[in-house]
Every structure is written in C-alpha cells, then in structure tokens.
Amino acid sequence: MPSYDFRKVEKKWQDRWEESGIFRSDDDASRKKFYALDMFPYPSGDGLHVGHPESYTATDIISRKRRMEGWNVLHPMGFDAFGLPAENHAIKKGIHPRISTERNTDNFRRQLKSIGFSYDWSREISTCDPAYYRWTQWLFLFLYRHGLAYRAKAPVNWCDSCQTVLANEQVEDGICERCRNPVRQKDLEQWFFRVTEYADRLLDDLEGLDWPDRIKNAQSNWIGRSEGAEIVFRGRASAESSLGDRDFDVRVFTTRPDTLFGVTYLVVSPENPLVLGVCPPERRPEVMAYMEAARKKSELQRVSLEQDKTGVPLGVYVTHPMTGEPVPVWVADYVVATYGTGAVMGVPAHDDRDFAFAEKYGLPVVAVIAPPDGQGNPENGGKGAGSALSAAHTGPGVLVNSGDFNGMDSVEAQTKIVVALEDAGAGRCRVQYHLRDWLVSRQRYWGAPIPIVYCDECGEVPVPESDLPVLLPDDVDFRPTGESPLARSADFHRVKCPKCGKPARRESDTMDTFVDSSWYFLRYCSPNFGSAPFDSREVAYWCPVDLYVGGAEHAVLHLMYARFLTKALNDHGLVGFGEPFLKLRNQGLIMGEDGQKMSKSRGNVINPDEVIERYGADTLRLYEMFMGDFEAAKPWDTKGITGCRRFLDRVWLETHDLVHHGKENTDHGLTASLHRTVRKVSGDIESFKFNTAIAALMSLLNDWQGAGAADREFVETFIKLLSPFAPHLAEEMWELLGHQHSILESPWPSYDEKMCEDSEVEIGVQVNGKVRGRFAAPTDLSEDGLKSAALDSVRPYLEGKEVVKVIVIRGRVVSIVVK
RNA sequence: GCCGCGAUGGCGGAAUGGCAGACGCAAGCGACUCAAAAUCGCUCGAGGCAACUCAUGUGGGUUCAAGUCCCACUCGCGGCACCA
C-alpha cells in the first residue's frame, strides 16, 4: 500500500481544478446563490502569515459544502494593493511600488493556490489596477454629485519625521506608529465623505445584522449617539470688544439638562470663533496666550495631561436662561472644539470634570440633585453652594434648588426642563454623534488620484466621467517632502479645465485606501465590466454578501465605510439593498508558540509555506481549524499539527484497506455513529464550530478502526464529510473509490434522525445530586423500566432511606431524591 | 470611566440546566526493532490502599441536578474615551 505522498496528491488536484475551471461561477438566475467573501489581503512583502489561511479556510469549507448542497457559489479573491507600506518600501529601497506590489501579489497568489482554496481566480481584482481605480474615482464623483463628498479646511495628523499626513489609525496615543515621533495637528484643505449624514441609519441598521456583538458594539461606540439638549445662554459684548456692543449667544450641548440650575460657569474651547469676538481688551493678552498654548499642544500632550485641567476666564458673562443670574464664561482646552457646539455648561456639583475644574479655580458649586436616600448627604442639596461636597454626585436623584422643578425626579426633569427651555426660546432637544465625516485625502503617491481639477475661473471642477481614469503617473519622484508627490509631476498637475479649457491644476492628493476597499465586493460580481463600477444585473443576483469573514481589526473603519457607501448607492437607486454584509464572522488571532503576538522582532512567526512543505496543505487547513474556537485567540503549537497529520494518514490507510480488501459493515453501532457524525459535522460547519466538527470526524475514524470493518457507503460518506476540510486528500480518495468526477459534484451527505440512535445507551444514576451508579439500557426502555433499573443499580445508597422523588431524563440520567 | 467578551487537567480545548474533561497534544508504560524513528496498544484532573472525598477564577443564591441560570466580586482581553 503506497504511503500518502501529499506533495504529489496536492499538486495533482490543484492542477486539475485549475484546468477544469470547477470553481468558476456564472450568473444563473434559476439557481440559489451564495456569496462567500474573504477580506482581501494587503499584499505585503512578508507573504501570507498563518492568520490569513485561518479565515480563508473557514469560508472555503462553507463554500465547498454549499457547492455540494447545490448552491451557485461566488467565492472570489483579490488584492488591496494600494497603500503606504509599498510606498515606504520604495523610498527605502528605490523599487517602484508598482513593481514591488506586483511581485508581492504574485507571491500571495502562489501561496493561496498552494492551500487549495476554491476561489474563482478569473475574477481576481487589484485595487491598484487602473481598470479598478477608474471606478473608485467614478464613485468619488458619484458622491460628489450627491453632495456627499466635499472639501474643507481641517486639522490633520502630521508627522514631521515621515513628512506626511497620517490616518487616524496610524496615530497611537499621539505618536506616529511608524517612526514613534509625536504627531502634530496641521490645517490643510481636505476632502471628506459625509458619513455623518448616515449616522442614524448606520446605528439603527446594525440591529438586523448577523454580526458578532463586539463588532456591533464597536460600531455603536464609534457612532456614539447621545441624546440631550442644546441650551442657549445669551450675553452682550462690551463696546470695546471686537464684536462691539452687541448681543451674542453661547450654545452648549448637554446630556444632563436636569442639572441646569446647577450651572455656575460656561466653558468654550480655545478654537471657538466666539472667543476673540467677545473678549474684552483687558483680557485679550491672557486669553490669546492660552489659545496659543493650546494650539501648540500636540496630541500627545493633550492625552498625557488628561487629568490636569487648565483654563482662563474670558471676562464676559451670559445670562442663565431660567434664573436670569449672570454666569461667567471660561476658555479651557478640556472642551473638544469639534464635538457638540464646542461649548459646555459647567455643573461642578454633578460632573466629575466640572468639579475638578471648579475646585482648582474656586468656582462655586451648587448642588441641585439630591441623591436618593442612603446615598451621600441629602442635606447638601438644600444648602445651596454646598462647600460640604467632596465629590460630584453624577447619579440620579431629586431636584432641589431648581425653582419650579424642586422635588421632581431627575430623570423626569430632563424632558420637563427642555420643554420649559423651548417655551422660553432658549433650547431644544438635540441628538449628538461622535462620528465624524470621513477624511479621504492623503498626501501620498500610492493611491487612486482624486478626480478633481481646480480652475481659477470655474473653481472646483469634477473630472468628466469620460476622462476616467485619472492615471497615476509612473515617473514620479515619490520621496517625501511634505507635499503630495503628484504635485511635483508637471504632466500630471497642469491640465486644462474640463469646463472652460483654461489652464488649471489637478488635485494632487490620492484617496485613502479604505475608499478602494469600500466597494470591492461589488466589483467581484462583474470584474471586467467596462461601463460602470458594476453590472447591476450581476449585483442584483449575487449581492448582498451572504458570508463575510476576516479580522476584527476592521470592526469599525472598513465595515463602516462599506456600509456607508452601500447606503449611498442604495439611496440613489444603484443597488437594491442597504447593507452589504448579512453575516459576519471574525477569526481569532493566532499567537506564537510562546503565547505572544506573532512578530518579526520576536522571531515567533510561523510561515505557512514551511508548514505546507513539511505537512501538506490539507494538514495546515485541518490544523488551523482544529486549534480551537474560530473566534478566540489561540497559540500555535507545532507539535499539535502532528495529530492532524496522523489523522489524515489513517484515513488514507483505512480507505486503501477498504478498496483492496472490500469489507462489509454489519455493525449497527458504526452506522448510528456515521449518521450522528453527518448531523454533527453539518451543523458545526454552519455554526463555525470547525474544531468540534473535526473532533467528530476523528471520533468516527476511531469507531471505524475499532469496528474493524466498514462498507463502501460508510467510507464514501466519511470522505465527503472530510472533503471541505482536506479537499486534496478527499479528491484522491474519491477517485480511488472509482469516481470519475470531482467530489464537489457529489451531493453533501444527509442523515436519518432515526438512524442516529444507538440501540443501547448508558444512563447515569444520581442520589441526592451525586452520581452513584450507571447502567446500560436499551434506547427504547420505558420510563418505568428506567426507574426500576436505576433504583436497582444504587440499592446500597437507598437502604434505610425513603425515596421521595425520582426524575427520569430519557437517554441521560435518573435522579433519585431520598430522605 | 463607559461598553462588550472571556476564565474548565501539564497544554489547545469539549459539554440543548442532566454522568465535567469529547477530540487532539504532551507525558508514562508496553508491543514491534539490534537500536532509534515511525506505527500500534494501555494509563493519564487532584488526594486516598480502598470505600470515598475534592475539583470548571472568588463568594453567595435558585434547582432533584449548575461549567451552564441569578446576584456580588477578582483577574485577563478588546472597543471607545476631557464626547459634556
């Protein structure tokens, strides 16, 4: 009997699959479809790491099962090929990003093919291909046309050492993740996508999605919806201020309108335009110095100085909308300029930050919410400026010191006070989001150019669709100097205005790579379509994606952006659905053998090529799925792989044994075990419990060997169940069993519920909750039969006792209660 | 600080409220071998000669029965965070 030469077998089947085109999928409206999508990789120079095959194997298993179940399956793969690493590599090594990206992509493709994934490679896409980014640009113009893309001056993260703008995700605690230098804020004209327009729907629609809770939760946190009120405090500027003797408003956002009577000051952020307008001359030097200091603070300082609040009085007063009392206005950088109105009301008695600020600057503390009985000192409330307070009471309670609202429950008072403010024309309900618009421009080379032209006559002019793509020039000096490399390419930069024909300038920024990946799943449906980003007929058939699998690091950004774009396309009739990904699953991180995160510097990285070379692709696939809970982090264990390898070897040997010796199975227990395993494996694959599906197959093999014989039907069913996990070996065994066609063309096995039961089961017997015995009983034994057999089996424990109660759980346990 | 997730043998991990530790790894013993590797068989939570007792992060509770449900904690992981 030949031993299992996995190298030969795996090569043989990969070649056959490629030749036969068995994984190609065509639009066929008469068949039910299944779209299984992997998050496409960034083709880094390091090649695949073992985390990639983990999620890819999972989708591959489901795709293969679906094919066998008769579904029309779309299972594509491509490359998220634009991005900063290729550009940095180019700067360091002088190799053009196009060259290194191509080389890396070839390597990734080779590696992916060597694992035997059932991708339709005829649909491969790459985001740096002009045939692709042409449509990324088209989508930019689509958003622009509908007012969802706009240009504005904005502070961006700037790294002096890298000489570039950084994306938010590249800034960690105020430090550039690449060079560890502090990041600075810089004001630049930037392009934005109006994601905030969709804040409510992005939040509300999460509910209907079959996504992991933590992802939904992360998105929900990111959107950060809070309900509260906008309250107007009116004031009058002095004649000497730059505003002159005029009325002005300070609008604040609060989630606690019930604490309105406890306001003892207001705070506006240093960036608030009102500050200089109303500031009286004598206060200007100090206020301006404070503003300057705040502006100079790096992100790093703002974060590290978290608790140490500073501020200066602005020298103006506004009127409390309920009490009519004067309220001083302060400037402090603990107020975030870009959130809410950039101004807050200070309620020291009921907010920790305000309390700290008031203590530091000697501002009065007025308690207006008396804690419920037993919490704190209720007397505080009644005494007005409660100097007795040692901390803010931030919880609910009963209103005191609040005029007509005294005695009211604080929760109830929230709405009541807003109503009163509305009547007085001094406030309204307001919903505030943490979500900001998406800054999409990047001052980088290796990305899709933004298709806009600036003309002195016509202003901002979109590039006509017929002129797309705006090609990324190859011959560019992409060394960093602080402006986009494209601005230095005269050929690229100097253009004629598409509107008036006069000399104009082309936008030199490129798009964030998250724009590329926000729509790639649509492109797979018609990867070569030439007249639009996608063929709407194909998209109508294949989309939305039925199953999407990838890393949890994309919990917020990528998934949010793809959802945003889908909703925008949906609103304007380009797609017929509002959510792109119906079911999402994340693979857990694979750690190194030392339990640490895999990293080059730790030297604990496992290279899948080496695992395949030594154990084979089927073993790699099997092991990655067997390691543990798909969604949980788990350490790699090279020794553990041998168990999977041994299992496949034994399958090979036993199958040959059947073929060469032709055995009969007369063992009913083995047949029952087979049916149970079909049920178990089928169910486990659906619920992403691949580890227990494999364990069940291992158990079944143990039973098979234990029985000493199995018939052809048993073996064929076994091989089918194994085929999504170890497709090469399965095809080889399938052929050995005399089949001409791929195992993918045979139906997924079914089981008979009646056949799943063994003729005999073991029953445990508990006496007062403790297991005291067990006995074997025929499966169909009556309840009374079980009861008396159970009582017999634990007789010594019942002597001299009275049996109070007997509970029979069929097939499992009998519980006896005695006194 | 807020939100979410988790904690089970030497290790990875199994368990619709129903016999805790499936399956695999490692370890020990044995078979085969001149020997080793590979392979196969047996043992394998802790304590105890045994009957038994103790065991699913901690402390309570519900139940005939709790890893699973409830309450209060501890620790770890992840998201958000001067967001008013």
Side-chain angles (χ1 to χ4, degrees), chain A residues 585-598:
Chain A
R585 291 293 180 270
N586 300 120
Q587 83 268 30
L589 211 57
I590 296 183
M591 317 297 272
E593 300 209 54
D594 52 5
Q596 302 285 308
K597 222 166 153 173
M598 279 193 195

Side-chain angles (χ1 to χ4, degrees), chain A residues 476-665:
Chain A
V476 162
D477 177 7
F478 37 72
R479 281 170 310 183
T481 62
E483 61 176 347
S484 169
L486 294 181
R488 274 174 278 147
S489 166
D491 287 351
F492 179 83
H493 197 51
R494 283 191 215 137
V495 286
K496 279 183 182 157
C497 171
K499 231 185 204 167
C500 68
K502 291 197 179 137
R505 304 172 308 284
R506 198 187 279 294
E507 166 67 62
S508 58
D509 285 356
T510 55
M511 278 184 256
D512 181 2
T513 56
F514 278 113
V515 182
D516 308 331
S517 57
S518 66
W519 73 283
Y520 76 112
F521 60 98
L522 297 168
R523 189 64 185 167
Y524 281 136
C525 298
S526 49
N528 302 310
F529 197 59
S531 45
F534 47 86
D535 180 342
S536 37
R537 214 191 66 242
E538 297 276 354
V539 165
Y541 174 69
W542 290 114
C543 284
V545 172
D546 295 285
L547 172 66
Y548 195 24
V549 181
E553 68 274 17
H554 293 297
V556 176
L557 300 174
H558 161 61
L559 291 168
M560 184 81 75
Y561 299 148
R563 294 180 65 220
F564 157 72
L565 189 79
T566 301
K567 287 178 191 307
L569 290 169
N570 186 26
D571 278 359
H572 296 95
L574 273 73
V575 301
F577 48 91
E579 283 290 340
F581 315 122
L582 300 180
K583 175 169 175 168
L584 175 76
R585 291 293 180 270
N586 300 120
Q587 83 268 30
L589 211 57
I590 296 183
M591 317 297 272
E593 300 209 54
D594 52 5
Q596 302 285 308
K597 222 166 153 173
M598 279 193 195
S599 75
K600 259 200 253 172
S601 56
R602 285 202 185 86
N604 61 355
V605 175
I606 303 288
N607 180 345
D609 281 345
E610 286 166 20
V611 178
I612 292 169
E613 177 57 29
R614 179 139 176 236
Y615 300 95
D618 281 338
T619 301
L620 172 71
R621 293 170 61 115
L622 201 66
Y623 176 64
E624 294 229 7
M625 293 298 99
F626 185 61
M627 286 172 76
D629 187 335
F630 179 73
E631 307 217 329
K634 51 224 166 257
W636 186 268
D637 177 13
T638 296
K639 284 198 224 108
I641 303 172
T642 57
C644 292
R645 184 59 220 278
R646 281 182 201 145
F647 167 69
L648 294 179
D649 282 341
R650 284 163 61 202
V651 172
W652 170 278
L653 286 170
E654 290 299 321
T655 309
H656 275 81
D657 198 42
L658 169 90
V659 170
H660 297 306
H661 304 107
K663 292 179 180 169
E664 284 292 314
N665 171 31

Side-chain angles (χ1 to χ4, degrees), chain A residues 275 279 283-292 312-314 331:
Chain A
V275 172
C279 185
R283 292 292 307 144
R284 279 184 83 94
E286 198 186 341
V287 170
M288 285 183 75
Y290 184 79
M291 288 169 68
E292 182 63 14
V312 290
L314 187 53
V331 183

